[in-house]
Amino acid sequence: MLNGFMGKLLFVNLTDGTIEERKLSEEIAKNFIGGYGIGARVLYNEMKPGVDPLGPDNVLGFIPGLLTGTKALFSGRYMVVCKSPVTRGWNDANSGGYFGPELRKAGFDGVFIKGAAKDPVYLWINNGKVEIRDASGLWGKDIVDTENTIKEELGEKNLRVAMIGPAGEKMSLIASVMNDGHRAAGRGGSGAVMGSKNLKAIAVRGTLQVPIANPEYLKTVNKNIVAAMKNGPVSPIIETLSRYGTGMGVVEAILGGDGPVKNWTGVGFSDFGEDGSKEMSPQVADEKYRVKKYACAECVIGCGAIYNSKEGKYAVGETGRPEYESLVGFGSLMMNTNYEAMMKCNHICNIMGMDTIAVAGTIAWAMECYEKGIITLEETCGIELNWGNADAIVQAVQVMADQSTEFGKLLALGSLGAANKLGKGFECLVTINGIELPMHDSRFSPGFSRTYYSDPTPGRHVKGGLGWYNLATPKTKYNYEGTGQMDKTITAGVEIVNCLGLCLFPDMFGIKSHSEYIKAVTGWELGEEDLLQTGMRIFNMRHAFNLREGWTPSNINIPNKRFAGEPPLETGPASGVTVDYELLTKNFVEAMDWNPSTWIPSRSSLEQLGGLEDVIKDLNI
Amino acid sequence: MQVFVKLFIPNKTIFGADELKIDISEGTSVENLINVLSNKLVDIPLDREDTTVIVNEKRASREQILKDGDKVMFFQILAGG
């Protein structure tokens, strides 16, 4: 028995209905630990390069982190992996809630879906027993209805579900995988891949236990973390996060230059303004709408909340409090100041299963095109997409979700897909390799530009790099010399946090005990250097997937360089800034020991990491 | 002379106000203002180097001398997510 693991991976082929359990090897467990680490290793083995992301040969994985399902604090996360139909390369998306722990307790360290069903199905995993069930009655249902119907059908109210909504069924490229009502593995079109397999949902129920090497030590590590949170210098910030959620600093971010404005063409103070951001104040919103607190599994912060928007034309009833990304996306990015409209947009995305970042980025692109006369009223099917028009924004989100109009079908392709179809609007895109950028401005925190540009999952704010570090280093953030080693070290660290199944927030506040948790759960003694190596192994594994797909630095799709400040903003906190993202990337590539022209890793760097012998062979290095 | 310091959560809650009016003398720098505020504002104590200072909507250095009526805000990593 391998402590810290259930020891089994589940493979389900929906084309022929075969269900196969495979033993998780100790080598893979040790080298890739969990989450998308194990996911990248498995998909590299199971997939051939060049497959259609929306065809049956794509493999879709659901993998909890190493600590997920244990009592380790903040460990409730799982990851969805596949080849992305958006970037056409490696994809992983990460979600909290309770699905991840339940999947492990149901007996598996990961589930991998191959093939495609002829008719809609869902998977039922109940304490090690696996069944493929008819989902024709679920097709067309939203997230809430789907979960309730499955619970009723199976007579099990304690099960957890990861599922797609109507957006995923229609294979919209902005479709997410949803769980627990308002938790999303949102990015990269994993919901579309699930839809392409005719897989509506995976329902799980588990009462098994993840074997723990040293349960007493695990309790001690937890106690130490709680003490550090309560008594440490970061306790006021943790209290604020607990009270107001990830949007606690949203006004500050928009005015300060972190949150983009007007599809990255505007400035917080002068364009959106203090009045514009008034309704978004977490204090104002919380007093008005808050019903109760929400926390993911094993979280003692609880940054979520349930709001009730019960009056007015945008009323949706009880709904998950919008997170920071969604607030900036449906707020300043589109110049919208109506908080209830933001909640409505967020709610539609949640129940229909769409990535709020991609939805917001796509509509903001369309608004800029509309304002500049690139897209006409006829092409929007009558929606007047002027900046800040809350009615129009809500309408656009709705038609994106149900694809009830030609414009809705267009937007469901994402902004690059829509621009390609129209043959225009490329100058207004804020995408890298087709994916809309998150709500952290790389002109304000230049490190994000390297991550957005060259991470194996481009355009992410939850991947490693200097972006978050730059927010805390205002004096030196625009100095681009010698950044490689720090960038590499932080990147490896974030790989570890994610693949352990931990939330990034405590880590950002310096609350972390990775080695201690690994020791308590698995019994392994891994020091800082070992974790750095493991993080780099996982990063290179994801990168190798893309290299095998033919990715090179020269074929990364950058329609324009707005994200790097070309041309620079004329006013505001990032005025005059042009970010040298190429130098930041060059520094990172050097530190990684990759070829500067091809980004192919050196043989010695991969040999040193170990566990990548087949990659060395495939790359012929 | 007076400058206006914009407050965000949690300081906004603690002070029950959107901004603080701070009296300063001629020649007061951003660094001097931070020293005055560091015991008052919850934002400041982590590490003063962590904080981005924005004066009149533009990023400012620690050495910048403040003028009467300047609007100051501090931006910290706590925002976002």
Side-chain angles (χ1 to χ4, degrees), chain A residues 113-183:
Chain A
I113 310 294
K114 301 169 115 182
K118 208 171 150 201
D119 297 304
V121 295
Y122 74 98
L123 206 60
W124 169 222
I125 305 172
N126 182 11
N127 278 325
K129 285 186 230 149
V130 184
E131 196 184 334
I132 302 169
R133 295 178 64 93
D134 174 29
S136 52
L138 298 171
W139 213 247
K141 285 188 186 294
D142 71 25
I143 298 306
V144 177
D145 276 355
T146 300
E147 182 162 339
N148 289 340
T149 308
I150 291 176
K151 282 179 175 170
E152 206 172 299
E153 183 179 307
L154 296 172
E156 173 57 79
K157 65 179 185 341
N158 294 318
L159 57 77
R160 301 284 175 177
V161 188
M163 72 207 111
I164 52 170
E169 293 171 12
K170 291 182 168 70
M171 288 185 264
S172 163
L173 294 186
I174 40 79
S176 54
V177 174
M178 301 295 301
N179 58 284
D180 297 287
H182 47 87
R183 302 288 97 195

Side-chain angles (χ1 to χ4, degrees), chain A residues 526-541:
Chain A
L526 296 179
E528 213 166 294
E529 187 56 33
D530 301 312
L531 292 179
L532 177 69
Q533 294 280 97
T534 305
M536 278 298 99
R537 187 181 302 114
I538 293 168
F539 189 90
N540 275 293
M541 190 76 247

Side-chain angles (χ1 to χ4, degrees), chain A residues 234 236-237 240 244 246 248-249 251-253 255-256 258 269 274 281-283 324-325 440 444 461 468 471-472 474-475 478 505 572-575 577, chain B residues 6 8-10 12-13 18-19 31 42-43 45-46 48-54 56-59 62-63 71 73-81:
Chain A
V234 292
I237 291 169
T240 308
Y244 297 112
T246 58
M248 65 183 173
V251 178
E252 199 172 351
L255 298 179
D258 181 33
F269 274 107
E274 290 183 61
S281 159
Q283 201 180 19
Y324 168 88
E325 295 290 319
H440 296 283
F444 186 72
H461 65 295
W468 294 105
L471 283 171
K475 269 190 178 174
Y478 293 120
F505 268 108
S575 58
V577 169
Chain B
K6 187 156 178 59
F8 299 96
I9 301 269
K12 195 173 164 177
T13 319
D18 287 339
E19 65 178 17
E31 184 75 30
V42 175
D43 285 48
L46 279 179
R48 289 181 349 216
E49 296 293 313
D50 281 4
T51 308
T52 299
V53 185
I54 295 165
N56 300 333
E57 304 172 19
K58 291 200 165 184
R59 59 185 184 280
R62 305 285 156 148
E63 294 76 35
K71 289 183 175 180
M73 77 167 269
F74 300 103
F75 178 81
Q76 282 220 314
I77 194 166
L78 68 92

Side-chain angles (χ1 to χ4, degrees), chain A residues 286-298:
Chain A
D286 232 52
E287 275 169 19
K288 213 166 165 184
Y289 307 108
R290 184 185 167 110
V291 177
K292 60 184 175 187
K293 204 170 167 54
Y294 177 87
C296 295
E298 309 306 335

Side-chain angles (χ1 to χ4, degrees), chain A residues 246 248-249 253 258-259 324-325 438-442 444-452 460-474 477 486-487 490-491 494 498 504-505 507-509, chain B residues 50 52 75-81:
Chain A
T246 58
M248 65 183 173
D258 181 33
Y324 168 88
E325 295 290 319
M439 305 307 149
H440 296 283
D441 196 321
S442 34
F444 186 72
S445 297
F448 282 123
S449 68
R450 200 286 298 160
T451 308
Y452 293 166
R460 304 294 179 92
H461 65 295
V462 288
K463 283 295 194 284
L466 295 172
W468 294 105
Y469 176 73
N470 284 162
L471 283 171
T473 52
K477 67 182 179 180
M486 174 76 90
D487 198 349
I490 295 176
T491 297
V494 173
N498 284 333
L504 282 172
F505 268 108
D507 201 77
M508 282 167 64
F509 299 142
Chain B
D50 281 4
T52 299
F75 178 81
Q76 282 220 314
I77 194 166
L78 68 92

